[in-house]
């Protein structure tokens, strides 16, 4: 079973509702260079199917829920994200797939680098060769 890291974000709750603040180098371990979010994911869709050579990310399902499949080439894990109060850390060299999105799911991603297609490994066999140093 693959070990993975999650980060709990302490909500500020009062009678109006809840607020989560995320501060760089305090709540998360890297500078944020990019933020993006996935929403309106269609029923039954599975996406991702890649790893990153350098990129580090934190995934937070701010609404609804979804599942994340992680694979480091040796072990795998299935992680359910269903709360805006915690995030999943995905380090580099980790194959990921996202699935089982609820209709209301919004998956927010905090990323350590700007978008760079050259950082992606989109072929699983190539990923295995890459982590073996071939
Ligand atoms: C990841 C998972 C969780 C951009 O132009 N800029 C961006 O910052 C991103 C992330 C994507 N794009 C374009 C590239 C594609 O034409 O948006 C389109 C969809 O991207 P992609 O097919 O890579 O989406 P996913 O859901 O497979 O993966 C995304 C991220 O790319 C990836 O880094 O870890 O979400």
């Amino acid at each position: 079973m693959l070990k993975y890291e999650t980060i709990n974000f302490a909500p500020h709750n009062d009678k109006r509702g809840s607020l989560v603040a995320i501060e760089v180098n305090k709540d998360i371990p890297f500078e944020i260079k990019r933020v993006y979010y996935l929403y309106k994911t269609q029923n039954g869709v599975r996406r991702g199917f890649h790893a990153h050579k350098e990129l580090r990310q934190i995934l937070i399902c701010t609404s609804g829920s979804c599942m994340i499949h992680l694979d480091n080439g040796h072990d795998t894990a299935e992680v359910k994200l269903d709360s805006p109060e915690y995030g999943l850390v995905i380090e580099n060299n980790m194959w990921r797939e996202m699935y089982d999105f609820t209709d209301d799911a919004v998956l927010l991603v905090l990323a350590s680098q700007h978008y760079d297609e050259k950082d992606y490994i989109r072929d699983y066999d190539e990923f295995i060769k890459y982590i073996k140093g071939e």
Side-chain angles (χ1 to χ4, degrees), residues 34-36 38 47-50 52 55 57 59 90 96 98 107 109 114-115 117 120 122:
R34 177 165 53 108
V35 174
Y36 61 92
L38 284 66
R47 55 189 302 169
F49 297 97
H50 60 259
H52 286 280
L55 187 70
Q57 303 196 106
L59 277 57
I90 306 186
R96 84 285 317 268
M98 301 85 79
L107 182 62
V109 183
H114 294 143
Y115 178 70
E117 186 57 38
Y120 285 71
R122 293 189 181 272

Side-chain angles (χ1 to χ4, degrees), residues 8-35:
N8 291 317
F9 303 119
H12 299 268
N13 298 315
D14 61 33
K15 60 185 177 195
R16 298 168 298 174
S18 300
L19 181 155
V20 164
I22 299 173
E23 293 191 22
V24 168
N25 293 332
K26 189 171 162 197
D27 303 295
I28 63 166
F30 55 77
E31 299 282 341
I32 299 168
K33 293 247 179 77
R34 177 165 53 108
V35 174

Side-chain angles (χ1 to χ4, degrees), residues 35-47:
V35 174
Y36 61 92
Y37 41 93
L38 284 66
Y39 59 105
K40 290 189 189 169
T41 306
Q42 298 298 297
N43 230 318
V45 162
R46 196 170 175 106
R47 55 189 302 169

